[in-house]
Amino acid sequence: MSIAKIRKIAVFVDEIHIEQGKTIDPPTRRACAVAVINNPFAGRFVEDLSDLMQVGEELGGLLGRRAVAALGIRPADAESYGKAALVGENGELEHAAAILHPKLGAPLRKAVEKGAALVPSSKKRGGMGTVLDVPLGHKDAAYVRSHFDGMEVRISDAPRANEILVAVAVTDSGRPLPRVGGLTSDEAIGEDGLR
Amino acid sequence: MPEVKVRKTVTGVEDVFHEGGPVAAKPYRRGFILKVIANPFAGEYVEDIQPFMEDLKPLGMQMAGDLIAAMGVEPSGIEGYGKGAIIGEAGEIEHGALWHAPGGYSMREHVPNSTAIVPSTKKVGGPGTRLDVPVTHVAASYVRSHFDAIEVAVEGAPRADEMVVVLVMTTGARVHNRAGGLPASDIKGEDGLR
């Protein structure tokens, strides 16, 4: 029995074959799984947000698995991840925080195996069709500079006023032509989540 | 013969469980695939553009097959389709018209009993331009329950010298369809209309 009242799930996959005239082989690939859910607290102030924390736990696993499946990779081959929420006009920013921060991470990390690094996030409020930029960072070592990225998603008919759009992005690669130095994926130890 | 240069591929598949009414027993699935390709005619007027249609055929066939796979259904499970193109600012609307035949026939090759014309739309626009791609029933254009549209856009494309070519498919009727008209169960599927 699902806790989240899900109206829609959408999964997007973005592959870059050529960047600035250079062939990217294999292409860099990013997937984002998005759920459109009912906001049980829309239109009123509710002190205890634990219901939305449960929703976050459920969606972290569901959307993480959907994104990995869409890439057609083994969970261990996921390289970076990110999360974001977009709250419809009758909700508050804190609703996004309740979904994203307390419980979403653990099941997402299970879906991508490991995930020592913080899951980068963003949140905002907006109407239907608002663009949400989901930040991306290396899943095991936040300082890996080649994997800082972002993926744009939008759903034309969501969120309605009483809805929340929840997005989880997973990649199997960094940016297509990384050349700004810093810690590389190969050098990362991946124990403290940073390096 | 200009080769088709693909810079980006984006696919999206959406499951609609409800839209405020009863939850559907089987979610209504809508999908799109798009390719960002170089426009070989950008920046100049070229009279004879039709050879590029031939070049686009294999791309169309690949896109249709990949979209059906992404939707996770058999080809016979595709009930609605549509196509579209966005042409970057150094091109002309006529370049988008080159997608009609390769885009449409590629889907009709894959989807059984697809006797209906593939609805389409196109426009010239900048990066991130949104396109509402129309959808109709694959065997009978008048089936009212299957009229729909799927909005697509791709961040950063088309650049001036690019085009975005799009195919869309659906697996059934709108989730709460109740506007009457010809039901899918009553079609003959011979003339592509009814």
Side-chain angles (χ1 to χ4, degrees), chain A residues 7 9 11 15 17 160, chain B residues 7 9 13-15 18-19:
Chain A
R7 177 165 73 84
I9 293 176
V11 184
E15 303 180 2
H17 306 270
R160 286 188 160 107
Chain B
R7 178 164 74 84
T9 307
V13 177
E14 174 178 280
D15 281 334
H18 72 87
E19 198 185 349

Side-chain angles (χ1 to χ4, degrees), chain B residues 131-166:
Chain B
L131 187 70
D132 293 314
V133 186
V135 174
T136 56
H137 192 282
V138 297
S141 298
Y142 278 94
V143 173
R144 200 176 291 170
S145 57
H146 285 55
F147 287 126
D148 201 354
I150 298 177
E151 187 180 331
V152 300
V154 49
E155 165 263 321
R159 287 183 171 134
D161 58 357
E162 292 179 330
M163 309 171 39
V164 177
V165 290
V166 189

Side-chain angles (χ1 to χ4, degrees), chain B:
Chain B
M1 224 24 93
E3 159 203 12
V4 182
K5 284 191 188 145
V6 178
R7 178 164 74 84
K8 246 185 168 186
T9 307
V10 183
T11 57
V13 177
E14 174 178 280
D15 281 334
V16 184
F17 300 95
H18 72 87
E19 198 185 349
V23 175
K26 184 183 126 198
Y28 171 42
R29 185 164 285 182
R30 304 162 10 119
F32 72 83
I33 184 165
L34 63 82
K35 298 264 179 188
V36 179
I37 63 172
N39 179 350
F41 311 119
E44 58 176 337
Y45 179 80
V46 177
E47 179 61 36
D48 182 15
I49 57 175
Q50 289 195 20
F52 194 53
M53 271 199 282
E54 286 300 315
D55 300 327
L56 288 171
K57 275 185 185 169
L59 183 76
M61 287 300 284
Q62 187 200 342
M63 287 169 67
D66 288 351
L67 178 53
I68 293 167
M71 292 183 71
V73 295
E74 292 297 314
S76 58
I78 300 300
E79 296 189 9
Y81 54 25
K83 62 186 192 287
I86 309 170
I87 305 96
E89 69 175 272
E92 53 173 311
I93 193 75
E94 196 63 17
H95 301 155
L98 292 170
W99 186 234
H100 284 293
Y105 284 107
S106 69
M107 289 193 288
R108 295 178 65 177
E109 286 276 327
H110 280 84
V111 178
N113 306 314
S114 51
T115 46
I117 189 169
V118 181
S120 65
T121 187
K122 57 186 167 298
K123 65 175 160 189
V124 176
T129 294
R130 298 172 187 181
L131 187 70
D132 293 314
V133 186
V135 174
T136 56
H137 192 282
V138 297
S141 298
Y142 278 94
V143 173
R144 200 176 291 170
S145 57
H146 285 55
F147 287 126
D148 201 354
I150 298 177
E151 187 180 331
V152 300
V154 49
E155 165 263 321
R159 287 183 171 134
D161 58 357
E162 292 179 330
M163 309 171 39
V164 177
V165 290
V166 189
L167 298 180
V168 303
M169 297 181 189
T170 63
T171 59
R174 293 181 308 279
V175 71
H176 299 320
N177 86 86
R178 56 192 191 286
L182 178 67
S185 52
D186 287 0
I187 62 173
K188 293 195 183 74
E190 285 163 11
D191 64 359
L193 295 172
R194 291 180 179 84

Side-chain angles (χ1 to χ4, degrees), chain A residues 40-62:
Chain A
F41 304 140
R44 61 199 171 107
F45 178 81
V46 177
E47 180 62 37
D48 178 1
L49 300 177
S50 51
D51 285 0
L52 281 178
M53 297 174 195
Q54 293 295 119
V55 163
E57 183 171 31
E58 181 181 16
L59 294 181
L62 174 69

Side-chain angles (χ1 to χ4, degrees), chain A residues 135-191:
Chain A
L136 284 164
H138 192 281
K139 73 172 183 181
D140 294 321
Y143 279 95
V144 173
R145 203 176 289 170
S146 55
H147 284 56
F148 288 125
D149 198 1
M151 183 170 175
E152 182 181 308
V153 290
R154 54 182 300 282
I155 293 189
S156 60
D157 69 349
R160 286 188 160 107
N162 294 347
E163 291 180 331
I164 304 173
L165 193 152
V166 184
V168 169
V170 177
T171 78
D172 67 1
S173 40
R175 294 187 309 279
L177 297 172
R179 55 191 193 284
V180 297
L183 181 69
T184 64
S185 194
D186 293 344
E187 295 162 355
I189 296 159
E191 279 168 16

